[in-house]
Amino acid sequence: MKLFTCDHCGQRLYFENVTCTRCSAKLGFVPESLHLVALEPLDSIRWRRAGGDTLYRLCANYVEHAVCNWLVHDDDPHAFCVACRLNRTIPDLGILRNLDLWRALETEKRRLIYSLLRLGLPLLPHGESPTGLAFDFLADTAPTFSERGRVFTGHAHGLITINIDEADPSTREQMRDRMAEPYRTLLGHFRHESGHYYWDRLVHDTDWLPAWRDRFGDETLDYGQALDWHYRQGPPAHWQDTYISAYASTHPWEDWAETWAHYLHIVDTLETAWQFGLQVKPRTGDDQSILSDNDFDPYRANDIGELIAHWLPLSFALNSLNRSMGHDHAYPFVLSPLVIEKLGLVQQIVRGASADAT
């Protein structure tokens, strides 16, 4: 994730900021340029970037619910920004807790959309394209963990459904413990489900499919049976040699979605490290493989080896810092050679899609 600077006073800004903490300037994110800008009011509706001429409106969800900080061009007929335009269903805001849950959902969703835009991937609302993307944020209609009336997070035909309880940290931790997962985050859900969507867009019925099957396997295997087997028998022995996570071993589609999610984890975290100028240079030991200065743009990297060479030292440092604070590892995963090959194919497909878009 980028860092940003206030156009008024030069204060450092962060992606979710709506006001500069130094000069109190109102802020808005411009998705076309991926800039967080300081705004000057032109009238009761229109704004312009400080010192600029382009006119914007605040996203309707910025104005009405304070769950967004993105902008819409003044000549755009839509009331919502490109991220909020993807929403098909939002939580019932008549229920008090749902506004906070929705705000958490939108915060992480915008981080996903930032990455997709940064990578130059195709992104249109489902209502504007038959191959577009949409989100349903839904609540259970039965007690938690009851199968009947429960909303299951998942993807189908361009529609990503997220159970809003995933935005509740305590509920999410219960689910993580119940599923014996080392890592479960709201952003991780968004990234994983987007992987299913982009498999349909970038792999299915394309020239990439043979190479994909060579790395991930035969997707025509019965998905329901594969899930049932996984939940009854667990992952295969030595799964860490082949898969990024135990769940990735369930079915080739899940292997792809998990690997896709980790690719997004890696490039976005490396960008944050790059923006902060982080260097990893341990004061002890002679292992050159854990030295890194992260002085490169990971979103523009074409070689998976370059990403991994920077990621391994950074994740080692992150895990060590987390343990010093009494937390579990920030990145509790091992990247085997086969997993790195899969990440490499994800990167090739992403770069190919980005080149096609330009």
Side-chain angles (χ1 to χ4, degrees):
M1 176 60 63
K2 284 183 180 179
L3 296 175
F4 306 93
T5 303
C6 178
D7 297 314
H8 272 142
C9 68
Q11 170 78 347
R12 184 170 53 251
L13 305 173
Y14 300 93
F15 185 58
E16 289 85 9
N17 286 158
V18 295
T19 305
C20 176
T21 56
R22 178 186 290 170
C23 70
S24 300
K26 194 172 188 65
L27 306 172
F29 185 77
V30 182
E32 294 80 8
S33 63
L34 300 176
H35 286 136
L36 185 65
V37 302
L39 299 170
E40 297 173 340
L42 190 65
D43 52 39
S44 61
I45 297 177
R46 295 178 299 168
W47 301 75
R48 64 185 173 195
R49 182 174 183 174
D53 297 321
T54 306
L55 301 183
Y56 300 99
R57 289 175 284 109
L58 306 180
C59 174
N61 283 332
Y62 195 155
V63 176
E64 296 175 23
H65 305 295
V67 299
C68 179
N69 67 341
W70 286 27
L71 301 176
V72 181
H73 275 279
D74 187 47
D75 59 1
D76 190 327
H78 294 92
F80 296 99
C81 70
V82 295
C84 291
R85 212 173 296 165
L86 300 172
N87 294 346
R88 191 180 79 160
T89 308
I90 66 170
D92 179 1
L93 300 184
I95 299 174
L96 185 61
R97 70 189 286 264
N98 283 0
L99 179 59
D100 287 338
L101 295 179
W102 184 36
R103 184 172 289 117
L105 288 162
E106 290 294 340
T107 296
E108 302 308 317
K109 188 193 79 179
R110 287 196 305 277
R111 283 187 169 259
L112 167 68
I113 303 306
Y114 168 89
S115 291
L116 302 180
L117 293 172
R118 187 86 161 81
L119 291 168
L121 292 169
L123 185 64
L124 285 173
H126 195 274
E128 298 178 17
S129 169
T131 60
L133 177 63
F135 291 92
D136 276 354
F137 300 133
L138 304 176
D140 291 337
T141 57
T144 303
F145 304 142
S146 169
E147 294 296 316
R148 187 174 181 179
R150 178 156 177 76
V151 172
F152 290 95
T153 293
H155 167 268
H157 309 297
L159 176 64
I160 292 176
T161 299
I162 304 286
N163 187 320
I164 66 171
D165 277 341
E166 290 287 353
D168 182 333
S170 62
T171 301
R172 191 170 61 250
E173 178 59 22
Q174 291 178 50
M175 285 295 297
R176 189 195 68 79
D177 184 65
R178 183 183 180 215
M179 304 294 286
E181 296 173 334
Y183 178 93
R184 189 181 182 95
T185 67
L186 192 51
L187 181 54
H189 281 314
F190 278 107
R191 286 173 170 164
H192 175 99
E193 300 306 335
S194 75
H196 288 300
Y197 169 71
Y198 280 104
W199 188 87
D200 287 345
R201 291 294 311 272
L202 306 180
V203 179
H204 180 57
D205 286 340
T206 73
D207 292 340
W208 285 111
L209 189 56
W212 186 92
R213 284 176 173 165
D214 185 57
R215 285 283 184 271
F216 291 94
D218 182 4
E219 81 285 359
T220 65
L221 296 173
D222 188 282
Y223 182 73
Q225 289 181 7
L227 281 180
D228 181 64
W229 176 267
H230 175 79
Y231 288 124
R232 285 191 294 108
Q233 302 294 329
H238 309 298
W239 60 265
Q240 297 94 334
D241 295 339
T242 309
Y243 303 100
I244 189 66
S245 68
Y247 188 63
S249 69
T250 303
H251 186 276
W253 281 337
E254 297 302 341
D255 190 10
W256 160 265
E258 284 286 271
T259 307
W260 172 277
H262 279 260
Y263 177 75
L264 295 184
H265 289 333
I266 289 169
V267 294
D268 201 52
T269 306
L270 283 174
E271 183 184 43
T272 305
W274 171 45
Q275 291 288 290
F276 273 100
L278 292 182
Q279 295 183 338
V280 179
K281 190 177 180 181
R283 295 183 181 276
T284 60
D286 58 2
D287 185 356
Q288 297 297 308
S289 69
I290 60 172
L291 303 178
S292 175
D293 61 9
N294 294 302
D295 188 19
F296 80 120
D297 182 353
Y299 276 102
R300 293 291 170 257
N302 290 310
D303 177 28
I304 194 62
E306 183 182 19
L307 282 179
I308 299 303
H310 287 83
W311 176 246
L312 293 180
L314 179 63
S315 60
F316 180 81
L318 289 173
N319 287 341
S320 299
L321 289 168
N322 251 34
R323 295 301 298 138
S324 294
M325 291 291 294
H327 295 297
D328 293 334
H329 285 171
Y331 190 74
F333 303 95
V334 175
L335 301 181
S336 71
L338 286 177
V339 167
I340 292 173
E341 288 182 9
K342 292 176 182 179
L343 287 165
L345 183 58
V346 171
Q347 184 181 45
Q348 290 176 49
I349 292 172
V350 165
R351 300 307 297 157
S354 176
D356 291 342
T358 57

